[in-house]
Amino acid sequence: MDTRAVVKAVAFVILTVISIPSNMAICYAFLHTLLIEGKLMTADVILCHLSFANLVVTLTRGIPQTLTAFGYKNLFDDLGCKFIVLCFRTFRGLSISLTCLLSAYQAVVISPATSKMAVLKTVISQYLVPLVVFLYKFCCVTSVYPILHAVSKVVNNTIPLYTFNLEFCIIPYPDYTAFMAAGLSNFFRDLIFILGMTIMSGYILVLLYQHSKKVKNIRSSDRGQSGARAETKASRAVVTLVVLYVIFFGVDNVIWLYSLGVLRVAPIFTDFRVFFYTLYSSVCPIVVIITNPKVKGKLNSVKLNKLVSTAGSCMSKGLKAKR
């Protein structure tokens, strides 16, 4: 393996090792809460689906990319390629759209009661399931076209023009029009959600600034302050996720647009692009685990239970040994 392949392999191994267990831990924490308490808050439902989407992104792109970097070839047949490409593109779109939905909901939650947006809080909570189902369907439908052309390998191992080379799969388009249509439709789908989450995050920042000015002039009760602090922390966490998303996927889409304008893309540009849009699926769960008290509490209780059970088993073994 050359230096580039080694660096690439190590980078994707690190991202995969971080992403899979952390996203699984978040899903476990929320599902456990649902089983115990019988319900989840609206933001928790969105975060659970977001973590699941990030997990699938890592499984369908991070792992194949890692294996390819280590020199493994022919990972899938044509049908496997179509399935992997569909899953990756669908859940990548879900990751973007759910982050946008999360930012919109958080903006509604902290908006003043007199604001017109406050009405949307009940609407989003009431129609959350249909909303999430719609996003699943929308992202799946908008990801169908590329799988019509996805194959595991090309004739004579010669990659034709107007082709997206995923390394473990190939997506050759018949002509320039089809190539550009596929690329631009993907770009504009992402752009709509990125603009939406950016606007909502800007609105959140304005509200947080106004709230901080009021706090300096008005002394609230302890209970009110604790509730306000919780919403402020949640809002800052959402803004952090959006900023990270805009940075990572901004780099991704800049390289994506560049690749649409040239016939042959240098492999290093493709590697950078894949790295940045896989990076979010690893960084996002870390932010959630650090900032979400429910997830942190569940994970801490699991650690405590393991510690107690380990200590108990050690004590029982010690007593048996004495006997």
Side-chain angles (χ1 to χ4, degrees):
M1 295 176 65
D2 58 11
T3 304
R4 172 178 161 268
V6 171
V7 173
K8 177 181 173 182
V10 171
F12 280 106
V13 165
I14 293 173
L15 292 182
T16 303
V17 168
I18 294 173
S19 177
I20 292 178
S22 55
N23 281 303
M24 288 180 67
I26 294 171
C27 290
Y28 162 78
F30 286 128
L31 290 175
H32 187 266
T33 302
L34 179 62
L35 289 173
I36 299 300
E37 300 178 7
K39 63 177 182 178
L40 283 176
M41 302 297 288
T42 302
D44 296 341
V45 174
I46 299 172
L47 282 172
C48 187
H49 282 280
L50 177 59
S51 297
F52 178 67
N54 287 332
L55 178 62
V56 176
V57 166
T58 303
L59 293 175
T60 56
R61 192 60 196 265
I63 291 180
Q65 202 74 43
T66 302
L67 293 175
T68 303
F70 278 111
Y72 290 92
K73 297 181 180 180
N74 302 321
L75 298 176
F76 309 102
D77 57 9
D78 288 353
L79 184 61
C81 275
K82 294 180 187 298
F83 177 75
I84 286 293
V85 170
L86 178 62
C87 286
F88 168 72
R89 287 182 176 267
T90 298
F91 283 93
R92 178 183 180 275
L94 269 171
S95 182
I96 300 174
S97 57
L98 287 170
T99 304
C100 181
L101 178 61
L102 181 65
S103 62
Y105 177 73
Q106 193 60 41
V108 168
V109 166
I110 68 170
S111 61
T114 55
S115 171
K116 294 181 180 179
M117 289 188 67
V119 183
L120 294 176
K121 181 179 179 180
T122 306
V123 174
I124 294 176
S125 300
Q126 186 176 356
Y127 295 99
L128 180 62
V129 173
L131 252 177
V132 172
V133 170
F134 168 76
L135 290 178
Y136 271 84
K137 290 181 178 179
F138 174 76
C139 293
C140 184
V141 169
T142 55
S143 303
V144 166
Y145 182 64
I147 73 170
L148 301 177
H149 306 283
V151 293
S152 58
K153 53 187 175 182
V154 292
V155 180
N156 299 325
N157 292 324
T158 302
I159 299 177
L161 297 176
Y162 317 126
T163 297
F164 292 125
N165 183 6
L166 308 180
E167 296 191 45
F168 52 87
C169 289
I170 307 293
I171 309 178
Y173 289 95
D175 51 41
Y176 180 73
T177 303
F179 176 77
M180 288 297 292
L184 290 177
S185 62
N186 185 76
F187 170 76
F188 283 113
R189 182 193 70 175
D190 293 354
L191 183 63
I192 290 171
F193 288 118
I194 289 174
L195 288 175
M197 68 177 77
T198 303
I199 292 170
M200 289 297 101
S201 295
Y203 179 66
I204 289 172
L205 289 175
V206 170
L207 291 179
L208 290 178
Y209 174 72
Q210 291 175 347
H211 175 73
S212 65
K213 288 178 67 177
K214 289 180 181 178
V215 168
K216 292 178 181 178
N217 300 323
I218 302 174
R219 183 171 295 179
S220 304
S221 65
D222 292 338
R223 186 177 178 182
Q225 285 182 353
S226 63
R229 282 197 296 268
E231 291 300 341
T232 300
K233 287 181 179 179
S235 300
R236 287 173 179 169
V238 170
V239 171
T240 301
L241 288 177
V242 171
V243 169
L244 290 172
Y245 209 102
V246 171
I247 293 173
F248 296 157
F249 283 83
V251 174
D252 166 24
N253 281 297
V254 166
I255 299 175
W256 177 256
L257 287 176
Y258 167 76
S259 67
L260 293 177
V262 296
L263 296 179
R264 303 288 184 188
V265 182
I268 190 170
F269 285 107
T270 303
D271 292 343
F272 268 116
R273 178 172 174 259
V274 174
F275 175 80
F276 272 100
Y277 69 57
T278 310
L279 186 59
Y280 182 76
S281 63
S282 300
V283 176
C284 173
I286 294 174
V287 174
V288 173
I289 290 172
I290 292 173
T291 58
N292 191 287
K294 285 186 180 179
V295 175
K296 194 184 297 185
K298 288 292 180 184
L299 296 182
N300 287 336
S301 66
V302 170
K303 292 177 183 178
L304 182 61
N305 290 336
K306 285 185 177 180
L307 183 62
V308 171
S309 62
T310 303
S313 62
C314 289
M315 287 177 66
S316 62
K317 288 180 182 178
L319 291 173
K320 287 180 181 179
K322 287 181 180 180
R323 290 176 184 175

